[in-house]
Amino acid sequence: MPVKNGAKYLRRALDSLKIQNYPNLEILACVGPSIDNTKEIFKEYGIPIAYEDDNNAADALINGYRLATGEILGLLPHDDEILPGALHKVNLAFQDHNIEWVYSATNSINTDGSIHSRLGNETNVTLEMMVERNLIPTISSFFKKETYLRVGGIRKAFPYPTDYELWLKMLAVGTRPHKIKDDLAIFHVTGLNGSMDTIETTITAPEVKQLRDIYFKKLSLGAKIRVGARRYRARLKPLLKKYPIADRFLRRLHKIVR
């Protein structure tokens, strides 16, 4: 759990873990320089600080995952929450030893309780799909530590879109995510985080583009053509409205190489 000045919402996140009643839960608090009572709240819940004075989210996650002793890893930001029974559902899914990575859809909730958006609706996510957009919510994702280590883990080279890089790396080596039917978590839009769309269009945008370019090169020729056609169609959308013949040509090209 990476935290920096997270006192306002931290108890809600910790309470959501407490009510899991999961016997083998290990909570690793990775705390950045905080001027509020974040550390005192962890102490109140009997949770020791596992790592302190991290430089950014990537540093916190790298050290948190390194220190984890369990077989399954997950991330809970201090302003989000895990839904009741989620960890038992995750454990049940991993009873199938062929599964290395699970996730669920999740609601993104505004501060007034209204639904901001629905995240993670897609199933059978592939590298081709992920190159175009981050489709898997971090808070409802769990994966084997063995798999995390096999792909090289998180790198400091991409300090903000850490989850996106990890998903791309796992998909690139053939690890397919298994979607759990029930929601596992709630993503809260608090002003301290933001929706997946907002994140990709602000401070992380250059890094996201760099990652997409790197993993686009790893796609098959057919996948590259499909992705390229969709990208060009999106860029040329105003022009294609004027020239429907060109629009139909791109659509047919996509079907041919699908």
Side-chain angles (χ1 to χ4, degrees):
M1 178 181 281
V3 187
K4 181 178 180 180
N5 294 320
K8 184 175 181 180
Y9 300 105
L10 182 56
R11 286 187 177 86
R12 179 178 65 192
L14 293 176
D15 285 341
S16 76
L17 291 172
K18 186 177 180 180
I19 64 173
Q20 295 295 315
N21 292 319
Y22 190 77
N24 298 318
L25 175 61
E26 178 183 43
I27 303 174
L28 295 170
C30 299
V31 181
S34 299
I35 59 175
D36 62 9
N37 62 328
T38 291
K39 294 180 183 178
E40 286 73 17
I41 293 174
F42 277 117
K43 184 177 180 181
E44 173 188 327
Y45 280 75
I47 300 171
I49 305 300
Y51 183 76
E52 196 170 347
D53 293 333
D54 54 275
N55 298 312
N56 51 46
D59 187 50
L61 292 176
I62 288 169
N63 285 283
Y65 290 152
R66 174 180 59 83
L67 294 168
T69 61
E71 296 179 5
I72 307 300
L73 303 177
L75 164 67
L76 178 62
H78 68 271
D79 46 357
D80 297 321
E81 59 183 308
I82 298 293
L83 290 171
L87 296 185
H88 289 281
K89 294 173 183 176
V90 170
N91 178 61
L92 181 62
F94 278 111
Q95 296 306 305
D96 181 342
H97 297 295
N98 293 317
I99 292 176
E100 300 181 70
W101 172 17
V102 303
Y103 74 102
S104 78
T106 181
N107 284 328
S108 173
I109 304 295
N110 294 314
T111 53
D112 62 2
S114 61
I115 296 178
H116 177 277
S117 60
R118 181 78 171 158
L119 308 173
N121 289 320
E122 291 77 5
T123 57
N124 301 316
V125 175
T126 64
L127 181 61
E128 177 183 341
M129 296 165 66
M130 190 68 80
V131 160
E132 295 189 81
R133 182 179 174 83
N134 187 356
L135 300 171
I136 297 182
T138 306
I139 58 167
S140 61
S141 299
F142 298 84
F143 44 90
K144 290 183 177 180
K145 185 169 184 178
E146 176 186 356
T147 304
Y148 172 82
L149 294 174
R150 189 175 76 245
V151 301
I154 288 170
R155 294 184 296 163
K156 291 185 179 181
F158 298 97
Y160 294 106
T162 51
D163 58 333
Y164 189 37
E165 187 205 9
L166 184 58
W167 305 158
L168 289 167
K169 290 169 78 170
M170 292 200 291
L171 286 165
V173 299
T175 303
R176 298 294 294 272
H178 170 76
K179 186 175 182 180
I180 293 177
K181 180 178 67 173
D182 298 328
D183 286 15
L184 300 174
I186 296 176
F187 182 96
H188 288 279
V189 181
T190 61
L192 300 175
N193 46 37
S195 70
M196 294 167 84
D197 287 336
T198 302
I199 290 171
E200 288 193 9
T201 55
T202 54
I203 57 174
T204 66
E207 293 177 1
V208 168
K209 183 181 184 302
Q210 185 180 355
L211 284 171
R212 287 174 175 166
D213 290 343
I214 290 171
Y215 285 90
F216 176 81
K217 296 175 182 178
K218 298 179 182 292
L219 296 175
S220 67
L221 178 59
K224 287 178 180 177
I225 294 173
R226 289 190 295 270
V227 171
R230 287 192 292 268
R231 286 180 177 178
Y232 278 113
R233 187 171 181 276
R235 292 173 186 173
L236 298 174
K237 192 173 182 179
L239 187 62
L240 293 175
K241 287 183 178 180
K242 294 182 179 180
Y243 300 98
I245 293 177
D247 187 24
R248 288 196 294 270
F249 171 77
L250 286 176
R251 289 178 182 273
R252 287 176 182 174
L253 178 62
H254 178 266
K255 289 181 179 179
I256 291 171
V257 298
R258 188 167 53 190

